[in-house]
Amino acid sequence: MSEEATSLMDLPSPILLLILSTLPPTTLLYVKTLSKSFLNLTLASEFTKLSRSASIIIHQFNSNRTNTLKFLKFVVDNFDHDPNVDLDLQLYFPVDRFFLVGSVHGFVCFNYFFGDVDSIYILNPTTREYIILPEPQRVRKWPNIVRYGFGFDPVRFEYKVVRIYQEEIRDDDTNSFRYYKSEAQVYIIGKGYWRSCVEHVMFWFGCWVEGVNLYGKLHWLVSDANQNELICSFNLENELFESFPTAPGYTKENCPNLRSLGAFGRCLCVCDNNADTQFEVWVMKEYGVTDSWVKEIVINIAPECNNYWLCYEMINLLKVLDDGEVLFLWRDDFLFLHHPVKKTLKRLHVCDGNFVASVYVSSSFSLKNFEAEVVKIPNLQNCHVQPASSSTNSNSNRTNTLKFLKFVVDNFDHDPNVDLYFPVDPVFLVGSVHGFVCFNYFFGDVDSIYILNPTTREYIILPEPQRVRKWPNLVTYGFGFDPVRFEYKVVRIYQEEIRDTNDFRYYKSEAQVYIIGKLGYWRSCAGHVMFCFGCRAYGVKLYGKLHWLVSDANGNELICSFNLENELFESFPTGYSKENCPNLRSLGVFGRCLCVCDNNADTHFEVWVMKEYGVTDSWVKQIVINIAPEYNDWLCYEMINLLKVLEDGEVLFLWRDDFLFLHHPVKKTLKMLDVCEGNLLACGHVSSSLSLKNFEAEVVNVF
């Protein structure tokens, strides 16, 4: 045997790489500082592949398995998901529901809050260990707001949870000018207590987005007292705040502001989705240097490309993959991939229901190394754990399912045996009249209308209308009944964009009408209006008319009606503010009155009712739901539609396209209803056995 001294560096490179890749993150960082050889080795591409095989962690909620953790790995242009390694978090944390804050070195941070409780959980999914941090001081109470971040201090080798407590301050003179004083509270894993930092900043950090981890700092998009957008960082070493200007494109008119902060490789980036024609990603090539912002990605939005679902929703960038493809999270609904060079766009179906996601690198580093913490491991011996299964009722393999709900003693009764699967994908619900349900299907140049009777299982397909839906022109629909001529009519609003010499944009809108069972073709009406009807909301029927919230050429909001008898437009004002962009107001029917749901404020949700039809002075504020984070802050800044006023005065709403909820204006109760997973649309429906075969001019199909 040779007596020559040997060192660890004498080992073959592949073996040494394997050894290093198994080290805990903190130990690995220390090893890098020992010698230049170790530093070069740990920076090698082979080591990067071993130690940084980052996957995506999915925290799924709002389904039958309300808190499930899924792990996705990228495999040849797609993500691979093994359901056998999913974690049912209810077995770990006996609370519902909690929110993903972030992941660092295999540790995952969650926040649970309800009432006066504001708890942080740290979990290692690999070892199944978790800890619960002590409660911080300064209880989360509305209107004060709390935000979190989770990061690693590479200088002191410490894991830190940062709590941003935002205290609302109102001007003493007017009590209306509002700003925030924000301070940081820090918890070092293994120390056992929260500590308040001396410094504070006059920024609003919001109440939804957690900190972005980069260069030993946590970052947020914030707004100052004058509503200017900035990037604020919190240095995890010296625990001081810094700020610098945000990416170009921000205006104060963006309310709510559909911009999000992320990391594009090793650079900060801002995703901007406030325009209706394109989605942009700005990248800061040099950290902290304002002039280094570059528009890295532009996705043009056009209905014929089947991507106008991108419009006006929050999009977060999750990860840039090795081949340059970029992974995004659309709202909290689904993931999609975009390749900036190939210009491809691909939606990924990884789970049903709502979820949030973050980059994740697994680690076997035990939480027991933090001596001051009480480490818990769930007792799973008496529990049967099975992978989360996919629902066949919504937004999965059976993407278009029709469900029928009946109100039974303070809740809705749903019989899944009468659910209908409609064999066209995707279709959008336009409305229901006398048992007939109207759907719209469009893709490319195809723009079809289906009329279905769920009771008889009959349906008809209307002929294609003239004037193909082509961006930037827009189309919306309505379905109603003319009580004078006893005719069922589908109304198509074709909106032609017009730009003047100064690039000022407005719309010229005309109606096309199809009468079920009559001539078998669409007929254009003579009149037109200079309104934008949008492309999402369908006509609300009342008093033999269809109604829409529209905007005129100056951005003023109006209610526009289309009379189903004489086929003429009318309009009257609503009292809208131009500052609401996008405008989170929706039109509905409250009993026999028009109503407007307004969710543009961050303190309350309102329902206005027009007591006398067409009379502007008859608007009354019928419902006010105060919003408080500890109870119902999910109401904030999302589109809410009123569906029905029940006999006992309780009101049924649709939140976005995610779930239904009930509110009783007198009892002040608020109840979320779990009727199905995935996305949904809803409307009132009265079943009927009237056959579509009575309309002789139509070709009736049965399924």
Side-chain angles (χ1 to χ4, degrees), residues 417-420 452-459 701-703:
N417 294 314
V418 298
D419 289 352
L420 293 181
L452 164 71
N453 187 333
T455 303
T456 63
R457 306 293 180 99
E458 302 166 339
Y459 71 95
N701 304 282
V702 179
F703 70 99

Side-chain angles (χ1 to χ4, degrees), residues 11 42 73 106 128 148 187 190 240 252 262 275 279 310 357 408 468 478 513 543 549 636 698:
L11 290 173
T42 55
K73 292 186 178 180
R128 303 297 203 263
Y148 281 96
Y187 186 97
L240 296 177
K252 296 180 183 180
F279 164 68
L310 283 169
V408 179
V468 174
V513 176
Y543 299 127
L549 279 183
C636 269
E698 307 296 346

